[in-house]
């Protein structure tokens, strides 16, 4: 009964709060952001009542979300109708990757703005990394569904056995499902450090201290649209990235614009081991503070400007 998601009980409270605010103040438009997708239900109701233009922002897919569990026929039908109700009644759609942009455009027949996730420049302090005899890899984010590090750890184990004198450590920062967490005890040749939550500032500091950073994106075709939110902070760090992701998916194509990237399919051990080896060699090269010119387009100041221009167009009465 929790449709579209477990936050649906919040809908009436959010709607009445939003409606009360609309009576007290003058607003130019409504912006709803998901997940959770129940926020768009609130936006739909408020837009109908207030007649304000409504912008929907999808940070992930809805029916196309690779981590969404398939339900029975009735549930699938209802959610598909809800998704269509949202995209056909809003005034403009914003999303974070080209595949999602194409998908929402195809089902809504409306213009869709692409505004990526990004990073805040003020969060970073450029440091001169001190070379060490070890090799530290960092993963920052949740681990669940097919975002599984098992293949990576098997490849890292093979790499470690070939480099017995190398001290290897990997940080997993973020929640991990119990089954995968328990499997970590099978890997004893290198050190695994797990922390469920740390502050964002600590996260950035630890990220910059690593010798390489890891992304995990699964094989499911719906993962082609996934651009992990942390990738932009990874790129800003300027250190080698080991990316396990679908060939020619959104993440794969984005990373083609940058140096110090070592890509692999998510499940082929030999490919992953090769990516680890290349990242290890790469991390020993001098760090260049010369920024990739493409990186500036992911600064949040720039992204906020893009969103503001979209809103200005809405306020002017244009369905962009």
């Amino acid at each position: 009964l929790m449709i579209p998601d477990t936050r649906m009980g919040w809908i009436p409270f959010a709607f009445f709060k939003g409606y009360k605010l609309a009576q007290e103040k003058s607003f130019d438009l409504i912006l709803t952001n998901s997940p959770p997708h129940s926020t768009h239900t609130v936006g739909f109701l408020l837009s109908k009542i207030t007649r304000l233009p409504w912008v929907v922002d999808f940070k992930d897919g809805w029916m196309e979300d690779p981590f969404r569990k398939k339900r029975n026929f009735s549930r699938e039908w209802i959610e598909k109708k809800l998704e269509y109700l949202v995209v056909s009644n809003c005034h403009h759609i914003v999303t974070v990757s080209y595949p999602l942009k194409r998908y929402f455009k195809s089902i809504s027949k409306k213009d869709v703005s692409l505004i990526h996730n990004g990073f805040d420049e003020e969060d970073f302090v450029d440091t001169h990394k001190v070379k060490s005899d070890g090799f530290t890899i960092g993963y920052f984010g949740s681990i669940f569904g097919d975002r599984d590090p098992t293949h990576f750890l098997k490849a890292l184990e093979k790499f470690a056995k070939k480099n017995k004198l190398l001290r290897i450590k990997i940080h997993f920062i973020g929640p991990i499902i119990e089954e995968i967490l328990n499997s970590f005890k099978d890997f004893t040749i290198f050190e695994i450090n797990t922390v469920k939550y740390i502050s964002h500032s600590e996260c950035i500091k630890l990220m910059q201290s690593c010798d390489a950073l890891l992304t995990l994106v699964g094989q499911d075709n719906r993962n082609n649209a996934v651009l992990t939110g942390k990738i932009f902070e990874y790129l800003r760090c300027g250190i080698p990235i080991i990316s396990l992701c679908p060939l020619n998916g959104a993440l794969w194509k984005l990373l083609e614009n940058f140096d110090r990237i070592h890509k692999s399919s998510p499940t082929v051990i030999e490919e992953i081991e090769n990516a680890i080896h290349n990242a290890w060699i790469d991390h020993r090269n001098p760090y260049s503070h010369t920024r990739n010119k493409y990186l500036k387009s992911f600064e949040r100041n720039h992204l906020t400007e893009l969103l503001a221009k979209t809103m200005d167009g809405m306020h002017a009465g244009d369905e962009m």
Side-chain angles (χ1 to χ4, degrees):
L1 297 177
M2 305 297 267
I3 301 174
D5 50 55
T6 55
R7 310 306 198 276
M8 58 87 65
W10 171 77
I11 290 172
F13 301 97
F15 167 73
F16 285 115
K17 180 67 173 180
Y19 180 71
K20 182 181 178 184
L21 287 170
Q23 303 305 302
E24 298 170 353
K25 303 177 183 179
S26 177
F27 294 100
D28 297 316
L29 56 79
I30 297 165
L31 171 68
T32 55
N33 175 283
S34 71
H37 302 299
S38 52
T39 57
H40 297 318
T41 306
V42 178
F44 171 78
L45 295 171
L46 286 173
S47 179
K48 290 298 182 185
I49 294 292
T50 64
R51 299 188 179 280
L52 288 170
W54 172 33
V55 179
V56 297
D57 183 7
F58 287 98
K59 291 290 188 272
D60 289 314
W62 186 332
M63 301 302 288
E64 289 296 298
D65 184 350
F67 301 113
R68 180 181 176 276
K69 293 181 180 178
K70 195 169 180 63
R71 310 289 185 172
N72 60 44
F73 175 81
S74 299
R75 172 69 179 264
E76 292 294 295
W77 184 85
I78 292 170
E79 280 207 60
K80 192 74 175 174
K81 289 294 182 183
L82 275 175
E83 180 187 51
Y84 180 74
L85 183 74
V86 166
V87 298
S88 60
N89 281 275
C90 69
H91 296 80
H92 194 70
I93 301 168
V94 176
T95 195
V96 295
S97 71
Y98 284 107
L100 284 177
K101 178 178 178 177
R102 287 193 294 270
Y103 171 75
F104 286 119
K105 189 175 180 68
S106 71
I107 65 171
S108 69
K109 311 302 180 188
K110 293 186 177 182
D111 288 338
V112 181
S113 293
L114 175 64
I115 302 178
H116 290 291
N117 289 305
F119 65 91
D120 290 313
E121 177 61 31
E122 57 267 29
D123 290 341
F124 293 83
V125 177
D126 284 331
T127 57
H128 294 280
K129 284 178 63 62
V130 178
K131 291 185 179 180
S132 68
D133 296 329
F135 186 43
T136 300
I137 302 168
Y139 176 86
F140 298 81
S142 303
I143 291 180
F144 60 94
D146 66 352
R147 191 176 289 173
D148 184 346
T150 302
H151 289 94
F152 172 78
L153 292 174
K154 288 178 179 178
L156 185 62
E157 186 175 54
K158 290 184 68 176
F159 171 79
K161 287 177 179 177
K162 292 176 183 177
N163 298 271
K164 292 180 181 179
L165 299 180
L166 185 63
R167 291 184 293 104
I168 300 172
K169 182 176 183 177
I170 180 165
H171 297 290
F172 285 101
I173 310 300
I176 305 172
I177 60 172
E178 197 68 26
E179 179 184 355
I180 290 177
L181 191 60
N182 290 335
S183 74
F184 285 177
K185 65 179 181 293
D186 297 331
F187 300 94
T188 58
I189 197 170
F190 46 79
E191 182 182 350
I192 299 178
N193 174 46
T194 61
V195 181
K196 197 169 185 179
Y197 295 109
I198 59 176
S199 70
H200 186 251
S201 59
E202 289 178 289
C203 181
I204 296 295
K205 186 176 180 180
L206 181 58
M207 201 181 284
Q208 288 190 284
S209 74
C210 292
D211 299 312
L213 298 168
L214 171 67
T215 72
L216 298 171
V217 179
Q219 285 280 59
D220 189 303
N221 287 336
R222 293 173 298 179
N223 277 304
N224 287 335
V226 171
L227 275 180
T228 56
K230 279 287 184 288
I231 192 61
F232 302 100
E233 292 177 332
Y234 278 19
L235 290 168
R236 172 59 184 82
C237 288
I239 59 182
I241 294 173
I242 303 166
S243 182
L244 279 57
C245 58
L247 176 67
N248 292 323
L251 181 56
W252 187 284
K253 290 182 177 179
L254 172 80
L255 294 176
E256 288 177 346
N257 297 291
F258 294 89
D259 299 322
R260 314 200 84 184
I261 306 298
H262 307 281
K263 296 181 287 189
S264 165
S265 70
T267 57
V268 182
I269 303 295
E270 291 73 18
E271 278 188 33
I272 301 169
E273 185 190 357
N274 190 52
I276 294 169
H277 176 79
N278 291 336
W280 173 59
I281 293 173
D282 192 9
H283 102 277
R284 297 157 73 190
N285 295 326
Y287 171 70
S288 171
H289 287 280
T290 303
R291 303 275 176 77
N292 185 306
K293 63 181 180 180
Y294 194 45
L295 190 61
K296 194 169 183 63
S297 63
F298 302 119
E299 287 188 30
R300 288 211 180 98
N301 285 342
H302 172 69
L303 299 172
T304 303
E305 183 181 353
L306 294 179
L307 183 60
K309 286 179 179 177
T310 298
M311 291 179 170
D312 287 343
M314 296 296 308
H315 186 40
D318 300 326
E319 287 197 15
M320 298 171 62

